[in-house]
Amino acid sequence: MKGQAAVGITLPQLPDDLRRQEAHAPVVEGGPVIAILARERQALDRANARQVRTIQFYDDLTSRYGTRR
């Protein structure tokens, strides 16, 4: 839609935490496989929690500014 960019709404910055990507768990040679799997699952839990925070951030924006389509 023409002119929407000029409405004067300044969106908040996306929190830095939401831009971060989660690294895979390090593989320690000779370490037990179950320990590697446990660390990888912890990394996945952190990534999933970050995704939830991103969705909440976006939903908050759209509820405040009514821009959801």
Side-chain angles (χ1 to χ4, degrees), residues 14-50:
L14 185 66
D16 290 338
D17 172 58
L18 303 183
R19 294 184 184 279
R20 188 176 37 166
Q21 291 190 343
E22 196 66 46
H24 286 282
V27 176
V28 179
E29 189 173 334
V33 174
I34 193 72
I36 296 167
L37 178 60
R39 287 192 306 271
E40 189 67 24
R41 289 184 61 91
Q42 290 171 347
L44 179 60
D45 287 344
R46 287 190 301 273
N48 286 341
R50 188 175 304 109

